[in-house]
Amino acid sequence: MSVMTASYTYSQPSRVSADAAARVRAAAETLGYPGPHPGARSLRRGRAGSLGVVIGEHLSYAFDDPQAAQFLAGVAEECAAAGVGLTLVPTVGTQADVERVNAAAVDGFVIWTTTDDDPVLDAVAATGLPAAIHAGPARPGLPVIGIDDRAAARQIGRIAFAGARRPAVLSFPTNRGRQRRVLTGPPPAETTFAVTRARWEGFLDAWTDLGGTPEALQVAVCSHNTAACGEDLTRQLLGTPPSPDAIAAMSDELALAALTVARRAGLSIPADLAVTGWDDTEGAGRGDLSTVSQSLRQQGRLCAHLALNPAQPHAGPPPPHWQVVIRGSTRPAPAPSPPGL
């Protein structure tokens, strides 16, 4: 058999007769040859056929965190539409992260929201491959896809804190140290998670808009976005006088955890405690939770589209949209301003 016939058997089987293809595969089986090596094929084509997603956490995070899972579903949909694979690139905050990025056989990157000082941001930029960042932080030349978290927090915060005297926030971690603590006032300087900082500032804006002082806003910082962490910190807040009469949470998971603890304590919602969440998950609807609605799935698709189509930066899905959804977990408040884009 000619080299060309053997090559066509694996790369363009329609150009080879069934008899010739059968003879090539029989010979290959005898020799123990599994077929062309994917890496060599990628080198010849000049593309890997996969999109890398840097999730900024241990690998299990991609499956455990509901927000990350929704975002990744959107990325996967866009990859499927483009006929490419998806490669998860987990990072843990060490020099090995940069090496892992450099070794990834991908055609572009999507970066899940991370810290300002994460070295993988510069490592991705240095590859020269097309990339998109979800929700920040920003890097020159790399598009950032996400809603205006500060503006959304300001709007939902005004709903959460309406009529309140002792407001509190259930917050995402401030940095990779993930220290669990209760603070007051504006975010500290070491708050390097871009999303945490923006939402914290927005909640503070809402409270001061309503006439409150920064020092009166308690912020309970969770180590992880989990119901268990939300319940623990809510119990701590409610058990420390003066207990809050309003809680604005940075996710529906944390907010629903706060509602669970409050109801177990015999509190009336929202008369004794108003609660708001973020993302408008299915649980938010079942729990009658006021929240911020956004589509992380859509944002995942848009990030993937930009990374896979760098020559068409404005094509694809529309910009991310958000709006406040008011349900029974909050007190009556003035009508919210129009939803943001």
Side-chain angles (χ1 to χ4, degrees):
M1 308 297 289
S2 70
V3 172
M4 188 66 71
T5 299
S7 176
Y8 281 157
T9 297
Y10 292 98
S11 62
Q12 300 181 55
S14 62
R15 301 187 63 173
V16 180
S17 69
D19 177 65
R23 290 167 61 198
V24 169
R25 293 188 183 280
E29 184 176 354
T30 300
L31 295 170
Y33 174 64
H37 190 278
R41 181 175 286 176
S42 296
L43 286 173
R44 186 177 72 252
R45 293 176 177 174
R47 56 188 295 272
S50 184
L51 178 66
V53 180
V54 183
I55 58 175
E57 301 280 352
H58 291 278
L59 186 58
S60 61
Y61 175 87
F63 306 95
D64 293 337
D65 184 85
Q67 282 75 30
Q70 281 293 311
F71 179 80
L72 285 171
V75 173
E77 286 178 354
E78 192 67 19
C79 287
V84 302
L86 189 157
T87 300
L88 294 180
V89 186
T91 61
V92 293
T94 67
Q95 181 58 33
D97 297 343
V98 172
E99 297 168 3
R100 199 172 292 115
V101 167
N102 291 336
V106 297
D107 299 312
F109 288 96
V110 168
I111 305 173
W112 174 251
T113 181
T114 185
T115 58
D116 301 333
D117 55 357
D118 192 338
V120 302
L121 292 165
D122 292 332
V124 167
T127 66
L129 294 172
I133 303 171
H134 176 250
R139 278 296 186 277
L142 299 182
V144 176
I145 303 302
I147 68 171
D148 186 336
D149 282 282
R150 183 167 183 169
R154 186 173 193 169
Q155 186 165 313
I156 191 66
R158 289 177 64 89
I159 303 300
F161 303 149
R165 292 179 298 165
R166 303 178 302 279
V169 172
L170 279 177
S171 170
F172 290 154
T174 56
N175 52 47
R176 289 186 179 275
R178 297 186 177 279
Q179 182 181 357
R180 188 184 302 192
R181 51 190 172 161
V182 178
L183 305 173
T184 60
E190 69 267 20
T191 305
T192 54
F193 272 114
V195 168
T196 300
R197 183 173 59 248
R199 294 185 187 182
W200 190 327
E201 290 170 342
F203 288 136
L204 186 60
D205 290 341
W207 176 236
T208 55
D209 287 347
L210 294 170
T213 62
E215 296 74 20
L217 180 66
Q218 291 190 92
V219 181
V221 179
C222 297
S223 58
H224 294 85
N225 178 37
T226 63
C229 199
E231 289 185 12
D232 287 345
L233 278 174
T234 300
R235 279 192 290 267
Q236 181 177 337
L237 289 171
L238 295 180
T240 306
S243 63
D245 54 3
I247 293 178
M250 292 192 185
S251 74
D252 287 345
E253 285 69 37
L254 298 178
L256 293 169
L259 286 175
T260 297
V261 171
R263 286 168 174 149
R264 287 174 181 168
L267 298 180
S268 175
I269 307 296
D272 298 327
L273 182 70
V275 179
T276 62
W278 200 292
D279 286 324
D280 197 24
T281 59
E282 291 183 7
R286 292 193 301 268
D288 202 21
L289 177 67
S290 295
T291 188
V292 173
S293 174
Q294 66 169 332
S295 175
L296 289 169
R297 198 181 192 107
Q298 177 212 24
Q299 292 171 40
R301 289 205 66 158
L302 182 53
C303 282
H305 183 87
L306 293 176
L308 292 171
N309 301 276
Q312 308 171 34
H314 302 296
H321 170 82
W322 64 270
Q323 65 180 4
V324 166
V325 178
I326 301 176
R327 297 191 178 99
S329 66
T330 48
R331 306 178 185 101
S337 57
L341 291 175

